[in-house]
Amino acid sequence: MTPLSIAFLPLTDSAPLIVARERGFAEAEDIALSLMRDTSWATARDRLVYGQVQCAHMLAPLAVAVTLGLSQASCPIAAPFKLNDNGNALTLSAELAAALDPDRRARVQDPIATAHDFAAAIGLHRRKPIIGIVHRFSSHALMLRYWLAYAGVDPDRDVTLRVLPPSLMVQALSLGEIDGFIAGEPWSSVAVAEGIGEIAAAGVNIWQRGVEKVLATRADWAEANGETLGRLLRALDRAAAWCDDPANHEELAALLARPDHVGQPAELILHALSGRMPLTQGGEIAALPNFLLFHHGAANFPWRSQALWIYSQFVRWRMVAPGPENERAAAGVFRSDLYRSALAGRGVAMPGASMKVEGALATPLAAASHEGSLTLAPDRFFDGLAFDPQDVEGYLRGLHAT
Amino acid sequence: MRIAIIDDSGLRATILEEGLRDAGFDEIEVVPAHGAFVARLERMAPDVVLINLGNANRDSLEEMLAVSRALARPIAMFVDQSDDGMIGAAIDAGVSAYVVDGLRKDRVKPVLELAIRRFNAFSKLQTELAAARTELAERKTLDRAKAILMRNRGLAEPEAYALLRTTAMKQGRRIVEVAEALITAADLFGDER
């Protein structure tokens, strides 16, 4: 058996990694998987970059940022497999949420109206709202910025974004250190269950197919260990399919609830899996069927266009200098080539292309697939804009004009 | 050189601070990692920040280092990214360091080396402490099991011990496991000590 260590954070979307080990999918590929739980992304990143683990559960934008050297010296990262799509929620204190639509379901289901309401609420709040984000290079932060900017809010000026690890968000909200947070599950559900927050927006309603966590390895490790990586990806593909099956959700929730995994009650973890999210303590439940996706519709396929969307947002928020070199390096983080070589010929739906226009599909579309049948799910952004990966500059001009 | 220490373990922070003072560094501040620790760091404007690798607040710290205007110069992780051996040793020891840009490598190196040594010494101490605790607990278990045998079978202490030992040998188990099984069984039979 090949020993492999993977660093992860206690989040519901670590599920494919945990299931790969606990349900024997890794073992079936002759991999002895050990999982190392961390509390901060910085620690998982360091363990990966300096070789203490071979792979890590990682925020997709962080994988791009590490490759571009945005927070420290550059280390090329390969992301050959997306662990999930979607899964985030914005949770606000009751005080801040009071300025939004009193119909809580409407808030979540109409992100356009809620963005405008939020913009208006900023001036009414007793202080500039402090919103917790898990990392500057997180999908959540990029999504929050995207959503706020739509309503004319400058996220660097009109609100304070404060970085906190996901597991400390609930405490910070209850102490009044922050007025809301955007994070992965189960942390919004925990805040709601404890009666200290209300869910005001769901990632799935901001971008129907939002890129979220990836399996990250060092690019040089991926090159040198192609065969091992291939086996790991096959194990993860089967594990992700298992996670997506509603018949397994109760068992999955119980597995994740274990103290060495996520360590939160199974019934709270189940909310995101079932797509039925209570928005307040004992209150309305919003039906969000694709709140968190692990497998179907080629969710694991690392579209290079999604890495480029991340890059476009880095440029937009002046986190990176625009340029062809950075653009190429960013696109190269998502390794659709490694995904293909690991999973081709195994009945896994395999897109014919490695890039697509993001946000262009309003209805499901049967797509060209080398094998299996592939239906691409609707992937629209809430504002109706589409991202053409061939024209990042034009896309950014369009965003500024709105 | 101003050094800030942030550590989940107050004891380890003290051990590290002592070591640094002994080595002649005197501008050292131990900053508890909660509440307004970021503001405190900004006021202190350290040249080096030492923080335990697994600290939950590292993302917050890095954000502060990325955006802070209070720090005149940017801070990068570790002494020198090319020094992979030292970084590996630091990560294995469980310590991470952020160093203000431009600080000479030969000035920072002894600080990090000392931190690595102290972190390693601390975890050795922890391991020894845990071993001592286990030993103490096992001795107590053994004493209870012996007492049960002495009372219920009228054995003297050496005989009780010999019986536990031969049973363990026959079953291929550790003597403390046999003792635990005996105590559990005695509890089930309602034997009150």
Side-chain angles (χ1 to χ4, degrees):
Chain A
M1 291 242 277
T2 314
L4 274 185
S5 299
I6 304 188
F8 77 104
L9 262 68
L11 288 161
T12 304
D13 60 21
S14 65
L17 301 172
I18 288 168
V19 165
R21 185 183 65 179
E22 297 295 325
R23 297 281 313 181
F25 296 118
E27 208 180 312
E29 292 287 346
D30 211 27
I31 291 171
L33 203 56
S34 58
L35 297 178
M36 191 175 276
R37 189 168 82 158
D38 284 315
T39 320
S40 76
W41 293 108
T43 304
R45 175 203 65 202
D46 291 348
R47 288 195 206 281
L48 179 70
V49 168
Y50 298 109
Q52 240 192 10
V53 295
Q54 289 77 46
C55 306
H57 172 218
M58 192 174 272
L59 300 158
L62 182 57
V64 176
V66 171
T67 302
L68 296 178
L70 302 187
S71 58
Q72 52 171 328
S74 157
C75 174
I77 298 293
F81 190 91
K82 284 159 62 200
L83 294 171
N84 61 308
D85 273 338
N86 307 339
N88 298 318
L90 174 70
T91 301
L92 302 178
S93 68
E95 189 193 350
L96 182 53
L100 307 178
D101 191 331
D103 179 347
R104 294 192 176 88
R105 275 199 205 97
R107 287 177 192 166
V108 172
Q109 304 295 9
D110 187 353
I112 288 183
T114 305
H116 289 302
D117 287 351
F118 187 97
I122 291 174
L124 301 172
H125 197 246
R126 64 189 158 83
R127 65 177 175 198
K128 192 202 265 193
I130 304 171
I131 307 297
I133 57 173
V134 301
H135 200 283
R136 98 184 353 236
F137 303 121
S138 66
S139 346
H140 334 45
L142 296 182
M143 203 169 279
L144 177 69
R145 286 170 172 276
Y146 187 94
W147 181 67
L148 290 175
Y150 170 82
V153 175
D154 179 343
D156 289 310
R157 182 195 64 199
D158 302 332
V159 294
T160 301
L161 301 181
R162 179 166 298 167
V163 172
L164 287 169
S167 51
L168 296 186
M169 290 291 184
V170 177
Q171 189 193 15
L173 187 62
S174 73
L175 293 175
E177 289 172 5
I178 55 176
D179 303 303
F181 66 82
I182 184 161
E185 279 288 286
W187 302 106
S188 285
S189 288
V190 173
V192 165
E194 291 183 10
I196 56 175
E198 306 181 9
I199 293 178
V204 60
N205 284 352
I206 293 174
W207 183 7
Q208 285 177 295
R209 281 276 173 160
V211 55
E212 190 44 54
K213 304 298 187 312
V214 295
L215 176 84
T217 79
R218 277 166 59 139
D220 57 359
W221 186 88
E223 294 308 324
N225 298 277
E227 191 269 339
T228 303
L229 182 62
R231 281 187 280 134
L232 177 64
L233 298 194
R234 290 192 282 281
L236 287 177
D237 173 71
R238 298 212 34 223
W242 189 91
C243 292
D244 239 6
D245 185 347
N248 298 327
H249 283 170
E250 290 215 8
E251 187 180 342
L252 176 57
L255 186 60
L256 292 174
R258 276 175 28 187
D260 51 334
H261 295 150
V262 178
Q264 290 292 323
E267 63 268 26
L268 297 185
I269 292 172
L270 201 54
H271 295 166
L273 301 179
S274 64
R276 290 176 53 77
M277 303 284 292
L279 303 176
T280 58
Q281 188 182 35
E284 304 93 320
I285 289 173
L288 297 160
N290 292 321
F291 183 86
L292 173 60
L293 297 172
F294 288 114
H295 191 258
H296 65 263
N300 309 115
F301 185 77
W303 294 97
R304 289 182 190 265
S305 42
Q306 295 180 340
L308 280 169
W309 182 81
I310 290 168
Y311 165 78
S312 77
Q313 300 305 300
F314 285 179
V315 172
R316 179 184 192 184
W317 303 114
R318 298 173 296 280
M319 293 166 171
V320 70
E325 225 170 90
N326 280 340
E327 186 172 327
R328 216 174 13 254
V333 173
F334 275 32
R335 296 294 297 272
S336 36
D337 56 328
L338 296 178
Y339 181 93
R340 286 182 199 289
S341 64
L343 292 162
R346 290 168 190 273
V348 176
M350 192 65 72
S354 294
M355 298 234 263
K356 63 185 170 80
V357 175
E358 299 290 337
L361 280 186
T363 51
L365 178 77
S369 171
H370 292 309
E371 60 192 276
S373 68
L374 172 61
T375 303
L376 292 178
D379 69 344
R380 280 167 51 94
F381 291 92
F382 79 102
D383 57 8
L385 291 181
F387 170 69
D388 177 358
Q390 313 279 9
D391 184 17
V392 175
E393 255 180 73
Y395 170 73
L396 287 170
R397 272 198 306 276
L399 281 179
H400 288 306
T402 53
Chain B
M1 185 176 356
R2 279 190 299 278
I3 303 171
I5 301 172
I6 306 173
D7 199 333
D8 292 327
S9 157
L11 181 59
R12 186 169 51 196
T14 309
I15 290 173
L16 179 54
E17 184 186 3
E18 263 177 25
L20 287 168
R21 288 196 191 282
D22 288 349
F25 299 97
D26 49 10
E27 286 185 275
I28 303 166
E29 209 169 321
V30 176
V31 182
H34 48 72
F37 83 101
V38 164
R40 196 162 154 197
L41 273 184
E42 280 177 339
R43 274 199 303 279
M44 185 192 169
D47 299 301
V48 177
V49 180
L50 297 172
I51 179 166
N52 63 304
L53 187 78
N55 194 298
N57 288 287
R58 283 187 59 214
D59 290 331
S60 311
L61 175 67
E62 289 195 2
E63 178 68 13
M64 170 231 158
L65 298 176
V67 300
S68 174
R69 292 194 188 89
L71 296 179
R73 293 170 295 173
I75 287 194
M77 216 200 17
F78 295 116
V79 183
D80 178 350
Q81 298 286 345
S82 64
D83 195 350
D84 268 358
M86 181 169 232
I87 296 174
I91 287 184
D92 288 342
V95 63
S96 50
Y98 299 87
V99 178
V100 82
D101 195 24
L103 200 61
R104 288 213 330 268
K105 184 180 166 182
D106 56 333
R107 292 191 60 204
V108 183
K109 212 169 169 182
V111 175
L112 191 54
E113 278 171 350
L114 197 141
I116 292 170
R117 278 201 306 276
R118 292 274 156 153
F119 263 64
N120 282 333
F122 182 78
S123 66
K124 189 161 164 260
L125 203 69
Q126 295 283 86
T127 314
E128 284 169 4
L129 197 65
R133 280 206 189 105
T134 311
E135 201 189 309
L136 192 67
E138 286 185 355
R139 198 174 305 152
K140 278 188 182 154
T141 306
L142 224 53
D143 285 346
R144 267 190 77 189
K146 277 191 295 190
I148 291 169
L149 288 176
M150 287 157 70
R151 191 166 56 245
N152 290 337
R153 299 204 30 193
L155 298 177
E157 190 182 339
E159 292 165 344
Y161 181 75
L163 181 59
L164 285 171
R165 200 182 52 191
T166 47
T167 309
M169 278 166 64
K170 264 191 241 155
Q171 299 183 353
R173 294 157 74 191
R174 293 179 61 225
I175 188 165
V176 67
E177 290 170 15
V178 174
E180 275 164 4
L182 178 65
I183 292 167
T184 309
D187 281 348
L188 288 174
F189 283 115
D191 181 296
E192 299 293 327
R193 317 208 116 235

